[in-house]
mmCIF file of all heavy atoms in Angstrom:
data_model
loop_
_atom_site.group_PDB
_atom_site.id
_atom_site.type_symbol
_atom_site.label_atom_id
_atom_site.label_comp_id
_atom_site.label_asym_id
_atom_site.label_seq_id
_atom_site.Cartn_x
_atom_site.Cartn_y
_atom_site.Cartn_z
ATOM 1 N N THR K 330 45.855 71.762 -32.128
ATOM 2 C CA THR K 330 47.126 71.862 -32.711
ATOM 3 C C THR K 330 47.009 71.501 -34.192
ATOM 4 O O THR K 330 46.114 70.775 -34.548
ATOM 5 C CB THR K 330 48.145 70.897 -32.005
ATOM 6 O OG1 THR K 330 47.676 69.542 -32.184
ATOM 7 C CG2 THR K 330 48.387 71.207 -30.586
ATOM 8 N N ALA K 331 47.837 71.958 -35.013
ATOM 9 C CA ALA K 331 47.782 71.857 -36.447
ATOM 10 C C ALA K 331 48.064 70.460 -36.863
ATOM 11 O O ALA K 331 47.817 69.997 -37.997
ATOM 12 C CB ALA K 331 48.596 72.937 -37.194
ATOM 13 N N THR K 332 48.822 69.696 -36.078
ATOM 14 C CA THR K 332 49.270 68.455 -36.556
ATOM 15 C C THR K 332 48.852 67.270 -35.721
ATOM 16 O O THR K 332 49.104 66.165 -36.083
ATOM 17 C CB THR K 332 50.930 68.387 -36.514
ATOM 18 O OG1 THR K 332 51.439 68.443 -35.161
ATOM 19 C CG2 THR K 332 51.407 69.517 -37.395
ATOM 20 N N GLY K 334 50.379 66.363 -33.060
ATOM 21 C CA GLY K 334 51.643 65.685 -32.598
ATOM 22 C C GLY K 334 52.423 65.025 -33.623
ATOM 23 O O GLY K 334 53.504 64.475 -33.318
ATOM 24 N N VAL K 335 52.008 65.031 -34.833
ATOM 25 C CA VAL K 335 52.648 64.281 -36.031
ATOM 26 C C VAL K 335 53.460 65.309 -36.781
ATOM 27 O O VAL K 335 52.972 66.356 -37.200
ATOM 28 C CB VAL K 335 51.701 63.565 -37.004
ATOM 29 C CG1 VAL K 335 52.392 63.010 -38.113
ATOM 30 C CG2 VAL K 335 50.806 62.615 -36.240
ATOM 31 N N PRO K 336 54.810 65.063 -36.934
ATOM 32 C CA PRO K 336 55.691 66.089 -37.651
ATOM 33 C C PRO K 336 55.153 66.259 -39.062
ATOM 34 O O PRO K 336 54.937 65.286 -39.748
ATOM 35 C CB PRO K 336 57.047 65.399 -37.661
ATOM 36 C CG PRO K 336 57.000 64.512 -36.414
ATOM 37 C CD PRO K 336 55.570 64.008 -36.298
ATOM 38 N N ALA K 337 54.928 67.505 -39.464
ATOM 39 C CA ALA K 337 54.492 67.683 -40.789
ATOM 40 C C ALA K 337 54.902 69.222 -41.154
ATOM 41 O O ALA K 337 55.038 70.116 -40.345
ATOM 42 C CB ALA K 337 53.059 67.592 -40.886
ATOM 43 N N THR K 338 55.000 69.378 -42.445
ATOM 44 C CA THR K 338 55.135 70.816 -42.914
ATOM 45 C C THR K 338 53.827 71.466 -42.981
ATOM 46 O O THR K 338 52.765 70.886 -43.081
ATOM 47 C CB THR K 338 55.861 70.758 -44.317
ATOM 48 O OG1 THR K 338 54.913 70.279 -45.295
ATOM 49 C CG2 THR K 338 57.101 70.057 -44.319
ATOM 50 N N VAL K 339 53.937 72.870 -43.201
ATOM 51 C CA VAL K 339 52.712 73.648 -43.427
ATOM 52 C C VAL K 339 51.943 73.134 -44.633
ATOM 53 O O VAL K 339 50.696 72.999 -44.612
ATOM 54 C CB VAL K 339 53.109 75.072 -43.475
ATOM 55 C CG1 VAL K 339 51.932 75.965 -43.923
ATOM 56 C CG2 VAL K 339 53.683 75.615 -42.199
ATOM 57 N N ARG K 340 52.621 72.952 -45.695
ATOM 58 C CA ARG K 340 51.942 72.566 -46.972
ATOM 59 C C ARG K 340 51.288 71.194 -46.834
ATOM 60 O O ARG K 340 50.155 70.962 -47.368
ATOM 61 C CB ARG K 340 52.969 72.489 -48.083
ATOM 62 C CG ARG K 340 52.334 72.097 -49.417
ATOM 63 C CD ARG K 340 53.309 72.068 -50.587
ATOM 64 N NE ARG K 340 53.628 73.506 -51.028
ATOM 65 C CZ ARG K 340 54.657 74.074 -50.956
ATOM 66 N NH1 ARG K 340 55.694 73.581 -50.224
ATOM 67 N NH2 ARG K 340 54.904 75.289 -51.404
ATOM 68 N N GLU K 341 51.950 70.187 -46.047
ATOM 69 C CA GLU K 341 51.298 68.946 -45.934
ATOM 70 C C GLU K 341 49.999 68.997 -45.088
ATOM 71 O O GLU K 341 49.049 68.332 -45.415
ATOM 72 C CB GLU K 341 52.405 67.961 -45.183
ATOM 73 C CG GLU K 341 53.513 67.543 -46.066
ATOM 74 C CD GLU K 341 54.608 66.881 -45.321
ATOM 75 O OE1 GLU K 341 54.688 67.038 -44.111
ATOM 76 O OE2 GLU K 341 55.419 66.140 -45.953
ATOM 77 N N VAL K 342 50.008 69.832 -43.985
ATOM 78 C CA VAL K 342 48.804 69.965 -43.323
ATOM 79 C C VAL K 342 47.735 70.612 -44.113
ATOM 80 O O VAL K 342 46.534 70.122 -44.143
ATOM 81 C CB VAL K 342 49.096 70.787 -42.004
ATOM 82 C CG1 VAL K 342 47.750 71.143 -41.254
ATOM 83 C CG2 VAL K 342 49.996 70.029 -41.065
ATOM 84 N N LEU K 374 50.662 82.729 -45.506
ATOM 85 C CA LEU K 374 51.679 81.818 -45.079
ATOM 86 C C LEU K 374 52.429 81.149 -46.323
ATOM 87 O O LEU K 374 53.105 80.099 -46.131
ATOM 88 C CB LEU K 374 51.038 80.654 -44.217
ATOM 89 C CG LEU K 374 50.694 81.220 -42.749
ATOM 90 C CD1 LEU K 374 50.014 80.087 -42.029
ATOM 91 C CD2 LEU K 374 51.837 81.661 -42.041
ATOM 92 N N ASP K 376 55.001 81.908 -47.813
ATOM 93 C CA ASP K 376 56.407 81.903 -47.667
ATOM 94 C C ASP K 376 56.894 80.983 -46.629
ATOM 95 O O ASP K 376 58.167 80.751 -46.373
ATOM 96 C CB ASP K 376 56.937 83.339 -47.298
ATOM 97 C CG ASP K 376 56.403 83.841 -46.088
ATOM 98 O OD1 ASP K 376 55.352 83.370 -45.571
ATOM 99 O OD2 ASP K 376 56.939 84.873 -45.511
ATOM 100 N N ARG K 377 55.987 80.314 -45.851
ATOM 101 C CA ARG K 377 56.323 79.370 -44.839
ATOM 102 C C ARG K 377 55.882 78.021 -45.125
ATOM 103 O O ARG K 377 55.737 77.063 -44.193
ATOM 104 C CB ARG K 377 55.778 79.799 -43.443
ATOM 105 C CG ARG K 377 56.597 81.071 -42.901
ATOM 106 C CD ARG K 377 55.843 81.593 -41.721
ATOM 107 N NE ARG K 377 56.770 82.635 -40.965
ATOM 108 C CZ ARG K 377 56.850 83.835 -41.392
ATOM 109 N NH1 ARG K 377 56.229 84.323 -42.418
ATOM 110 N NH2 ARG K 377 57.663 84.679 -40.737
ATOM 111 N N ALA K 378 55.485 77.725 -46.362
ATOM 112 C CA ALA K 378 54.932 76.456 -46.678
ATOM 113 C C ALA K 378 55.789 75.348 -46.398
ATOM 114 O O ALA K 378 55.357 74.222 -46.067
ATOM 115 C CB ALA K 378 54.612 76.533 -48.140
ATOM 116 N N SER K 379 57.063 75.422 -46.447
ATOM 117 C CA SER K 379 57.990 74.309 -46.309
ATOM 118 C C SER K 379 58.409 74.229 -44.795
ATOM 119 O O SER K 379 59.267 73.283 -44.435
ATOM 120 C CB SER K 379 59.209 74.404 -47.130
ATOM 121 O OG SER K 379 59.960 75.600 -46.892
ATOM 122 N N TYR K 380 57.954 75.114 -43.929
ATOM 123 C CA TYR K 380 58.333 75.064 -42.559
ATOM 124 C C TYR K 380 57.650 73.938 -41.856
ATOM 125 O O TYR K 380 56.557 73.499 -42.185
ATOM 126 C CB TYR K 380 57.920 76.383 -41.857
ATOM 127 C CG TYR K 380 58.800 77.574 -42.066
ATOM 128 C CD1 TYR K 380 59.388 77.905 -43.288
ATOM 129 C CD2 TYR K 380 59.066 78.448 -41.162
ATOM 130 C CE1 TYR K 380 60.203 78.925 -43.467
ATOM 131 C CE2 TYR K 380 59.820 79.628 -41.293
ATOM 132 C CZ TYR K 380 60.412 79.849 -42.516
ATOM 133 O OH TYR K 380 61.110 80.940 -42.792
ATOM 134 N N GLY K 381 58.267 73.419 -40.834
ATOM 135 C CA GLY K 381 57.516 72.484 -39.906
ATOM 136 C C GLY K 381 56.562 73.199 -39.088
ATOM 137 O O GLY K 381 56.774 74.422 -38.722
ATOM 138 N N VAL K 382 55.412 72.714 -39.049
ATOM 139 C CA VAL K 382 54.256 73.495 -38.191
ATOM 140 C C VAL K 382 54.791 73.800 -36.887
ATOM 141 O O VAL K 382 54.381 74.774 -36.254
ATOM 142 C CB VAL K 382 53.054 72.571 -38.226
ATOM 143 C CG1 VAL K 382 51.946 73.302 -37.369
ATOM 144 C CG2 VAL K 382 52.438 72.454 -39.671
ATOM 145 N N SER K 383 55.577 72.874 -36.295
ATOM 146 C CA SER K 383 56.028 73.082 -34.900
ATOM 147 C C SER K 383 56.986 74.343 -34.763
ATOM 148 O O SER K 383 57.182 74.855 -33.643
ATOM 149 C CB SER K 383 56.844 71.924 -34.352
ATOM 150 O OG SER K 383 57.977 71.610 -35.175
ATOM 151 N N GLN K 384 57.339 74.724 -35.903
ATOM 152 C CA GLN K 384 58.246 76.071 -35.937
ATOM 153 C C GLN K 384 57.430 77.237 -35.834
ATOM 154 O O GLN K 384 58.005 78.394 -35.650
ATOM 155 C CB GLN K 384 59.072 76.098 -37.148
ATOM 156 C CG GLN K 384 60.179 74.953 -37.276
ATOM 157 C CD GLN K 384 60.888 75.020 -38.576
ATOM 158 O OE1 GLN K 384 60.609 74.341 -39.547
ATOM 159 N NE2 GLN K 384 61.857 75.963 -38.704
ATOM 160 N N LEU K 385 56.081 77.169 -35.983
ATOM 161 C CA LEU K 385 55.276 78.348 -36.045
ATOM 162 C C LEU K 385 54.794 78.864 -34.708
ATOM 163 O O LEU K 385 54.635 77.994 -33.781
ATOM 164 C CB LEU K 385 54.077 78.175 -36.997
ATOM 165 C CG LEU K 385 54.376 77.656 -38.443
ATOM 166 C CD1 LEU K 385 53.143 77.629 -39.208
ATOM 167 C CD2 LEU K 385 55.396 78.717 -39.072
ATOM 168 N N SER K 386 54.380 80.084 -34.691
ATOM 169 C CA SER K 386 53.674 80.508 -33.383
ATOM 170 C C SER K 386 52.263 79.966 -33.424
ATOM 171 O O SER K 386 51.743 79.441 -34.290
ATOM 172 C CB SER K 386 53.594 82.074 -33.435
ATOM 173 O OG SER K 386 52.735 82.492 -34.416
ATOM 174 N N GLY K 387 51.623 80.097 -32.104
ATOM 175 C CA GLY K 387 50.244 79.601 -32.036
ATOM 176 C C GLY K 387 49.335 80.267 -33.008
ATOM 177 O O GLY K 387 48.473 79.639 -33.576
ATOM 178 N N GLY K 388 49.500 81.570 -33.197
ATOM 179 C CA GLY K 388 48.598 82.320 -34.136
ATOM 180 C C GLY K 388 48.793 81.815 -35.617
ATOM 181 O O GLY K 388 47.823 81.707 -36.407
ATOM 182 N N GLN K 389 50.059 81.625 -35.982
ATOM 183 C CA GLN K 389 50.343 81.094 -37.323
ATOM 184 C C GLN K 389 49.806 79.668 -37.491
ATOM 185 O O GLN K 389 49.242 79.374 -38.571
ATOM 186 C CB GLN K 389 51.918 81.127 -37.569
ATOM 187 C CG GLN K 389 52.408 82.533 -37.732
ATOM 188 C CD GLN K 389 53.931 82.487 -37.741
ATOM 189 O OE1 GLN K 389 54.565 81.608 -37.066
ATOM 190 N NE2 GLN K 389 54.473 83.527 -38.421
ATOM 191 N N GLN K 390 49.888 78.856 -36.428
ATOM 192 C CA GLN K 390 49.294 77.502 -36.498
ATOM 193 C C GLN K 390 47.764 77.607 -36.769
ATOM 194 O O GLN K 390 47.230 76.715 -37.484
ATOM 195 C CB GLN K 390 49.566 76.754 -35.260
ATOM 196 C CG GLN K 390 51.053 76.216 -35.217
ATOM 197 C CD GLN K 390 51.238 75.216 -34.077
ATOM 198 O OE1 GLN K 390 50.448 74.438 -33.752
ATOM 199 N NE2 GLN K 390 52.507 75.110 -33.661
ATOM 200 N N GLN K 391 47.153 78.523 -36.053
ATOM 201 C CA GLN K 391 45.632 78.701 -36.314
ATOM 202 C C GLN K 391 45.427 79.124 -37.700
ATOM 203 O O GLN K 391 44.406 78.625 -38.274
ATOM 204 C CB GLN K 391 45.184 79.820 -35.340
ATOM 205 C CG GLN K 391 43.580 79.947 -35.263
ATOM 206 C CD GLN K 391 43.091 78.600 -34.454
ATOM 207 O OE1 GLN K 391 43.806 77.830 -34.107
ATOM 208 N NE2 GLN K 391 41.778 78.509 -34.449
ATOM 209 N N ARG K 392 46.318 79.941 -38.351
ATOM 210 C CA ARG K 392 46.099 80.236 -39.710
ATOM 211 C C ARG K 392 46.265 78.982 -40.661
ATOM 212 O O ARG K 392 45.740 78.915 -41.657
ATOM 213 C CB ARG K 392 47.023 81.413 -40.121
ATOM 214 C CG ARG K 392 46.569 82.709 -39.572
ATOM 215 C CD ARG K 392 47.714 83.714 -39.319
ATOM 216 N NE ARG K 392 48.502 84.042 -40.467
ATOM 217 C CZ ARG K 392 49.605 84.672 -40.519
ATOM 218 N NH1 ARG K 392 50.143 85.131 -39.371
ATOM 219 N NH2 ARG K 392 50.228 84.966 -41.628
ATOM 220 N N VAL K 393 47.222 78.035 -40.211
ATOM 221 C CA VAL K 393 47.403 76.873 -41.027
ATOM 222 C C VAL K 393 46.053 76.086 -41.007
ATOM 223 O O VAL K 393 45.675 75.501 -42.126
ATOM 224 C CB VAL K 393 48.522 76.039 -40.362
ATOM 225 C CG1 VAL K 393 48.547 74.638 -41.056
ATOM 226 C CG2 VAL K 393 49.905 76.702 -40.555
ATOM 227 N N ASN K 419 48.412 88.533 -35.518
ATOM 228 C CA ASN K 419 47.888 87.329 -36.148
ATOM 229 C C ASN K 419 46.408 87.507 -36.135
ATOM 230 O O ASN K 419 45.694 86.965 -37.111
ATOM 231 C CB ASN K 419 48.275 86.116 -35.290
ATOM 232 C CG ASN K 419 49.624 85.533 -35.752
ATOM 233 O OD1 ASN K 419 49.633 84.980 -36.884
ATOM 234 N ND2 ASN K 419 50.653 85.609 -34.883
#
Side-chain angles (χ1 to χ4, degrees):
T330 60
T332 65
V335 178
T338 67
V339 170
R340 182 178 281 107
E341 287 169 341
V342 172
L374 291 175
D376 61 339
R377 289 173 170 77
S379 61
Y380 283 38
V382 173
S383 61
Q384 296 176 261
L385 304 184
S386 69
Q389 290 170 330
Q390 288 194 24
Q391 193 69 5
R392 285 152 61 189
V393 171
N419 274 293

